[in-house]
């Protein structure tokens, strides 16, 4: 307990993205979300304090290699293009499907990506949603980028975009907040199942114990609210 070597002794430093609720987000500068809660529980079990630092999503998985954080978190899938020398990925802790959030009044006509000819789709740059939309969109569909979910929702309401792409865990979370105005569309698996994992240096002391923690607790992840206690986990 507390003997794991970290970037700063006694502290688990997490690199996170600010706008991927309910997985991870920033609220008045404070980190929230399932990933953060999950890692706080792990840190407490290991006798570590937690420090969360925020970054843009694109290439956040390389921050541990740059000695900026111990772990990168934020609903990151360890796809082949995200491999790098010296980088390790934990065991998966959640599986996600791709989806689009649309205006409720458009949901009957915008059911699959094939329906988006001439439409505008927003995604986070460098995300799986970005790659999925680029690969599957009709030639006449336009891709634009956003940095924050709330901005995408605002643009959707204003008619500046017709959808934004994100994982289904996030789509259903956003739609639940705007049930009368938004709907989930185009829910589908990727060709290779998309799993969330945490990234760190392959020599990190954290890899083995975190994998053990994931093995014991990954089934809890989909239903973990940010307010539950770390003692709800198996240590």
């Amino acid at each position: 307990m507390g003997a794991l070597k970290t970037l700063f002794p006694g502290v688990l430093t997490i690199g996170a993205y600010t706008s991927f609720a309910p997985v991870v987000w920033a609220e008045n500068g404070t980190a929230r979300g399932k990933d953060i809660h999950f890692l706080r529980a792990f840190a407490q079990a290991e006798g570590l304090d937690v420090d969360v630092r925020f970054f843009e999503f694109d290439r956040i998985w390389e921050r541990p290699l740059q000695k900026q954080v111990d772990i990168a978190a934020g609903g990151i899938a360890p796809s082949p293009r995200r491999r790098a020398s010296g980088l390790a990925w934990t065991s998966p802790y959640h599986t996600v499907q791709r989806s689009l959030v649309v205006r409720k009044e458009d949901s009957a006509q915008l059911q699959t990506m094939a329906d988006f000819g001439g439409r505008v789709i927003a995604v986070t740059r460098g995300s799986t949603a970005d790659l999925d939309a680029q690969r599957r969109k009709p030639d006449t569909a336009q891709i634009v980028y956003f940095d924050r979910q709330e901005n995408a929702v605002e643009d959707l309401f204003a008619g500046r975009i017709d959808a934004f792409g994100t994982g289904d865990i996030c789509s259903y979370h956003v739609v639940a907040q705007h049930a009368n105005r938004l709907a989930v569309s185009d829910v589908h698996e990727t060709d290779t199942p998309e799993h969330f994992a945490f990234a760190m240096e392959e020599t990190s002391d954290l890899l083995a114990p975190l994998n053990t923690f994931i093995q014991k607790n990954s089934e809890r992840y989909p239903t973990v609210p940010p307010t539950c206690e770390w003692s709800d986990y198996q240590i």
Side-chain angles (χ1 to χ4, degrees), residues 20-21 24 36 50 109 118 134 137 169 182 188 194 201 210 232 235:
F20 196 28
V24 62
I36 301 303
V50 170
Q109 57 183 320
Q134 296 283 3
K137 75 176 184 68
I169 189 173
L182 298 177
H188 63 282
E194 181 182 355
E201 286 191 285
L210 183 51
D232 292 343
I235 307 303

Side-chain angles (χ1 to χ4, degrees), residues 165-196:
T166 186
D168 61 340
I169 189 173
C170 296
S171 289
Y172 288 114
H173 174 81
V174 170
V175 168
Q177 296 175 315
H178 306 279
N180 294 326
R181 303 184 69 184
L182 298 177
V184 179
S185 178
D186 191 44
V187 179
H188 63 282
E189 294 182 353
T190 51
D191 293 339
T192 301
E194 181 182 355
H195 307 296
F196 290 164

Side-chain angles (χ1 to χ4, degrees), residues 2 25 27 48 103 121-122 154 167 171 190 196 216:
W25 77 95
E27 184 177 307
L48 298 169
R103 290 178 292 272
I121 303 167
E154 181 180 336
S171 289
T190 51
F196 290 164
K216 292 179 178 179

Side-chain angles (χ1 to χ4, degrees), residues 84-142:
S85 178
L87 186 68
W89 294 88
T90 65
S91 301
Y93 58 89
H94 183 66
T95 301
V96 67
Q97 293 182 304
R98 291 290 101 212
S99 60
L100 296 171
V101 177
V102 300
R103 290 178 292 272
K104 194 164 188 176
E105 63 265 27
D106 294 336
S107 59
Q109 57 183 320
L110 298 178
Q111 296 188 7
T112 70
M113 184 63 80
D115 300 326
F116 279 83
R119 302 280 187 157
V120 180
I121 303 167
V123 294
T124 299
R125 189 182 298 275
S127 66
T128 306
D130 185 3
L131 297 177
D132 184 67
Q134 296 283 3
R135 181 177 62 84
R136 298 175 62 244
K137 75 176 184 68
D139 290 342
T140 56
Q142 180 185 358

